[in-house]
Amino acid sequence: MPTPDPPRDQRLDLLPIKMQHLLNLLIVAETGSFRKAGTHLDIGQSAVSRRVQRLEDLLGVSLFERRPGGARLTPVGNRFAERVRRILDDLNEAIEAAQSGAVAQIGVLRLGLIESFSRGPLRGVIERFLAEYADVELNLIESDRSDLFTLLSHRRIDLVYAAGMPTPEIGDGLLLANETIFLAVPSQHQWACRERLSWKEIEAATFIVSAREPGPAIHDYIVRRTSNLGRVASVRRHRFGREGIMSLVGLGLGVSLVADHWRGVRYPNVTFVPLGDEDERVPFSLSWRPENDNPALRRFLSLARIEAKRNGALS
């Protein structure tokens, strides 16, 4: 009886796909045109079209809707392009990591953060770290909370700085600071000249937050504090980063919450006023994996513990 052939790995069907095909896909998606993509890549429009068509033939799906005015990703194409971007980003990171590892005398510390470090304890630790360990390469990664802690769990980064107390489920942690909360208001607003505001005074305000991190956490904090007053907060989300949100505050479209470390940057027509009771604070912590034996991480944590003791976060 003949021996049956081993099951064929369907992934082998994708071997003809070249990096060139994927890069062409992303350029066409970004420019919305085969012609513009060809100009960007310095090749003919027909060559770009052939490469994309080859990719579509290999996948068995249409990635673009061809129109006289250009090309638009299909729903399937959009999902595929998103994953291709992630793959290429991961590949670039892997190449950078390999190149860094090839230089034995240079250590690397990868720090993920959600918050600003324009001022405050984290900035102080980073400044001292750079001064004392100039031979260590410091890589900073800003992303949302879920992404950063996923990277941490897979040892893609060494350390995460985020709002909240340290949690054992994530790994080891250090409370670095307890920071005062400020209300960002338009500078011409009557609240701008106050020394401190109470939550009761601002319960009817329109709050604006980012749809990105740390916006969701700020949203939850606002809802929690105003619900204690028996009122549903008016909170509007915008797909802006922190600078965009501060610009909207400056235009008089609402108010927003910031922690003390945000105040290292000046924004046009925006004033920061302390909010809540004098002892109202928000904790910010560092988290890392206990099995991580990166010497650069241990050096950074030593400086962080000194800073935490100095500002009273660590007794």
Side-chain angles (χ1 to χ4, degrees):
M1 181 176 181
T3 303
D5 292 335
R8 188 164 178 257
D9 190 341
Q10 293 181 347
R11 290 174 296 179
L12 294 179
D13 294 337
L14 302 182
L15 286 179
I17 293 179
K18 300 178 180 179
M19 186 72 69
Q20 200 177 55
H21 297 147
L22 301 178
L23 292 174
N24 277 211
L25 163 75
L26 296 182
I27 298 299
V28 175
E30 290 169 8
T31 60
S33 165
F34 288 97
R35 179 182 59 79
K36 292 178 181 178
T39 301
H40 180 87
L41 295 167
D42 197 25
I43 59 176
Q45 175 181 340
S46 59
V48 176
S49 181
R50 284 196 303 272
R51 290 174 183 176
V52 173
Q53 183 64 57
R54 172 62 173 158
L55 184 57
E56 290 177 320
D57 291 343
L58 288 169
L59 296 175
V61 296
S62 294
L63 299 174
F64 289 96
E65 296 175 1
R66 274 80 167 173
R67 300 183 175 186
R72 186 173 70 178
L73 285 167
T74 63
V76 172
N78 188 57
R79 291 193 295 272
F80 182 72
E82 287 288 338
R83 295 193 177 187
V84 168
R85 287 191 190 95
R86 294 177 194 168
I87 291 170
L88 295 182
D89 286 344
D90 289 344
L91 179 60
N92 285 331
E93 288 184 13
I95 292 171
E96 291 174 2
Q99 291 173 337
S100 297
V103 185
Q105 69 270 27
I106 299 179
V108 179
L109 178 69
R110 295 177 174 84
L111 170 61
L113 66 160
I114 303 167
E115 311 296 333
S116 166
F117 63 102
S118 60
R119 58 174 279 161
L122 179 64
R123 183 181 181 89
V125 176
I126 290 175
E127 287 176 341
R128 285 190 292 276
F129 182 81
L130 294 174
E132 295 187 24
Y133 304 105
D135 60 333
V136 176
E137 177 185 342
L138 179 62
N139 290 344
L140 300 176
I141 302 99
E142 185 176 32
S143 188
D144 60 57
R145 188 182 191 91
S146 176
D147 186 40
L148 288 178
F149 282 109
T150 298
L151 293 173
L152 182 69
S153 67
H154 290 278
R155 293 285 298 276
R156 299 286 299 281
I157 57 178
D158 299 295
L159 199 61
V160 171
Y161 181 69
M165 295 292 291
T167 54
E169 295 80 10
I170 294 173
D172 287 347
L174 171 69
L175 175 62
L176 185 62
N178 287 299
E179 295 197 14
T180 302
I181 296 298
F182 290 80
L183 188 70
V185 302
S187 296
Q188 74 274 15
H189 197 284
Q190 60 180 348
W191 291 339
C193 60
R194 295 285 300 278
E195 292 186 3
R196 181 174 291 273
L197 290 164
S198 69
W199 281 96
K200 182 66 177 175
E201 290 176 288
I202 68 167
E203 61 179 352
T206 297
F207 295 91
I208 51 179
V209 302
S210 174
R212 309 169 189 167
E213 296 282 3
I218 295 173
H219 172 274
D220 293 345
Y221 190 84
I222 292 170
V223 171
R224 187 166 61 250
R225 293 296 282 110
T226 54
S227 65
N228 294 337
L229 303 172
R231 187 183 185 93
V232 178
S234 173
V235 185
R236 297 177 182 172
R237 297 192 184 201
H238 297 268
R239 296 187 66 83
F240 277 157
R242 62 177 66 91
E243 289 191 9
I245 294 298
M246 290 301 104
S247 295
L248 295 180
V249 171
L251 290 171
L253 297 181
V255 300
S256 193
L257 262 61
V258 301
D260 184 45
H261 61 252
W262 277 37
R263 299 190 306 125
V265 178
R266 293 183 179 275
Y267 301 96
N269 199 41
V270 176
T271 299
F272 300 113
V273 184
L275 175 64
D277 299 331
E278 290 191 10
D279 60 351
E280 184 169 352
R281 298 284 191 274
V282 173
F284 290 88
S285 304
L286 291 165
S287 300
W288 65 94
R289 297 298 304 171
E291 68 273 14
N292 190 340
D293 58 356
N294 183 355
L297 170 63
R298 301 302 161 185
R299 294 169 183 171
F300 190 91
L301 292 175
S302 295
L303 296 175
R305 289 189 178 94
I306 294 172
E307 174 61 28
K309 289 181 179 179
R310 189 190 67 77
N311 64 41
L314 182 66
S315 59

